[in-house]
Amino acid sequence: MNVSPTLAPAPAAATQMSDRTRRLLQDPILPLLLRMAWPNVLIMLAQASAQLIETWWISHLGTAALAGMALVFPPIMLTQMISAGAMGGGISSAIARALGAGRRDEADALVLHAVVINIVLGLAVSAVFLLWGREIFTVLGGEGAALDAAVTYANVVFAGNALLWLLNGLASVIRGTGNMLVPALVICAGVALLVPLSPVLIFGLGPIPAMGIAGGGAALVLFYAAGTAVLAWYILSGRNLARFRRTALRWPLFRSILRVGAVGAVTSLQTNLTIALVTALAASVAGTAAVAGFGTAVRLEYLLVPLVFGLGAPVVALVGTNVGAGLHDRALRIALTAGGIAFAMTESIGLAAAIWPEAWLGLFSAEPAMLAAGSAYLRIVGPAYGFFGLGLVLYFASQGAGQLLWPLCVGFTRLAIAGAGGWLALHLTGDLRWLFATVALALVVYGVTLGLAVRSGVWFRASR
């Protein structure tokens, strides 16, 4: 392993560090990681449960509505992954590195820059889907009633997209200080509100009219608005370690966020483009019911992303703070420890899904074609989920280190195997099972390659 020697924080920097920052640099790794991760894992489980419940309610509107959600889900997850995982990771990483080096004023100034970036990007994404949503979902294989349902749902969700970006940006500001509990409490409270609100708006209650599939989107937007308001109040009140300050906008601070966040966005795009391409390939040889089955099965894979993010967010803060302080060996041990935890967690879920696929799929439909396609996917791809979890948490660790070249390259490799390899497999056999086999192979290559690269110390060779 070729890494830089462990360094102690400079005395001048150490005098400016809070007790929380010192704990990130000195406490035993595994207990510290678990202590920071549990609030995030809780929040991600709550969000995943809310998404599951919303899908279950919408499934009562019929197969077309369920297929419509399957079409919209990849772009929604892309937006969430970029705003929370990619750009959010850039925000948390920049603040953590500044605090680790004892630069408190810089950490404060980064808050305003983070808000500006997320508002601009949120509005831009809204414009794309409000203007060209139908064309995008048509390319993804949507048609007829399923396409109409997708457009209806997307128009509501993406109208409030800037609120999602702001919510995730403010949460990332707080997480960058090592505080995982406050964002977890706020978002869990929002999910508790979302669970009853969603069916009320979908089916109506008393004077509240039934909005159908649009009601699910409206409930999400209200959740974004409430969470954003509470997190903004927390930061503006001065309770957060990185405080909001009016300051002149400076390109070096934008760059500190964007050099990690922009590359991370490409990585998130790779993951979602992979799923979108496989969705389109499946749609080219299967009917609406089979596409709904595949979309419901792959939703479980998507739900692994926020679950791993529950572990990955503290990893960004921990690795970033230790890299900022020069503690390279410790940063690498944190990453590899988290990678082992992520592998065990996601592999357990994948194996359970492969053994009992209908336990998941049967929650949403009993249609034979839907169950057949979804079961085939989970039986083949589920056993590879551990490698997906491993690669994903090492991507978050790479964000903390500010070194994303290897995750970017490995992500393109995964995309090529699943996209081009999947097309070739489907072209030669016409069998969805061979398409799914290439998806599983892509996940194994993704996790193994990135794991070996990080373990070899590529972060620190790249920074020399």
Side-chain angles (χ1 to χ4, degrees), residues 20-338:
R20 174 178 284 128
T21 302
R22 288 193 182 90
R23 288 195 296 271
L24 301 188
L25 299 174
Q26 298 171 3
D27 282 6
I29 290 173
L30 183 59
L32 176 63
L33 185 59
L34 294 176
R35 187 168 66 247
M36 293 178 67
W38 78 260
N40 259 16
V41 172
L42 176 64
I43 178 179
M44 294 306 150
L45 287 173
Q47 285 185 312
S49 299
Q51 292 171 346
L52 173 63
I53 291 169
E54 183 183 42
T55 303
W56 185 79
W57 283 118
I58 287 178
S59 70
H60 287 69
L61 298 175
T63 301
L66 190 59
M69 277 203 75
L71 293 170
V72 182
F73 198 64
I76 289 179
M77 283 303 298
L78 173 61
T79 303
Q80 291 181 341
M81 288 169 65
I82 292 178
S83 61
M87 205 58 63
I91 293 166
S92 294
S93 175
I95 289 175
R97 283 182 277 118
L99 292 172
R103 301 190 298 269
R104 292 286 298 274
D105 289 344
E106 179 181 323
D108 290 346
L110 283 165
V111 177
L112 175 61
H113 290 72
V115 168
V116 170
I117 288 171
N118 277 37
I119 289 176
V120 170
L121 292 178
L123 292 174
V125 172
S126 289
V128 168
F129 281 93
L130 292 177
L131 292 173
W132 299 294
R134 181 171 290 274
E135 290 76 10
I136 292 171
F137 299 128
T138 299
V139 170
L140 292 178
E143 59 183 11
L147 177 60
D148 291 338
V151 172
T152 299
Y153 183 73
N155 282 345
V156 177
V157 171
F158 285 104
N161 186 251
L163 290 170
L164 168 65
W165 280 79
L166 195 52
L167 170 69
N168 286 328
L170 296 176
S172 298
V173 165
I174 299 170
R175 291 188 186 109
T177 70
N179 184 347
M180 306 293 149
L181 186 59
V182 167
L185 291 175
V186 170
I187 297 180
C188 280
V191 169
L193 174 65
L194 180 64
V195 169
L197 181 62
S198 185
V200 167
L201 295 182
I202 292 171
F203 302 106
L205 180 67
I208 301 175
M211 298 174 63
I213 195 171
L220 281 177
V221 172
L222 290 173
F223 161 60
Y224 301 154
T228 297
V230 176
L231 292 178
W233 167 81
Y234 182 81
I235 294 173
L236 289 170
S237 70
R239 289 170 169 81
N240 194 49
L241 189 57
R243 296 173 173 85
F244 181 86
R245 252 182 218 181
R246 293 185 180 180
T247 182
L249 297 178
R250 305 193 297 267
W251 170 243
L253 296 184
F254 282 124
R255 184 176 58 202
S256 182
I257 295 172
L258 291 172
R259 75 183 183 89
V260 173
V263 178
V266 176
T267 303
S268 298
L269 181 62
Q270 291 168 339
T271 297
N272 284 268
L273 184 57
T274 300
I275 299 299
L277 285 174
V278 176
T279 301
L281 288 171
S284 70
V285 298
T288 298
V291 172
F294 165 75
T296 304
V298 85
R299 177 175 282 258
L300 181 62
E301 184 175 326
Y302 266 124
L303 293 180
L304 296 180
V305 175
L307 182 61
V308 175
F309 178 70
L311 179 63
V315 169
V316 173
L318 279 166
V319 170
T321 303
N322 282 270
V323 168
L327 303 176
H328 292 173
D329 287 337
R330 178 176 167 86
L332 192 53
R333 290 198 305 273
I334 290 167
L336 296 177
T337 301

Side-chain angles (χ1 to χ4, degrees), residues 10 16 24 27-28 56 76 85 108-109 144 170 183 217 234 277 352 360 364 366 375 380 389 411 418 443 458 463-464:
Q16 302 181 53
L24 301 188
D27 282 6
W56 185 79
I76 289 179
D108 290 346
L170 296 176
Y234 182 81
L277 285 174
W360 167 261
F364 307 99
S375 295
I380 294 169
L443 291 179
V458 292
S463 63
R464 288 175 179 172

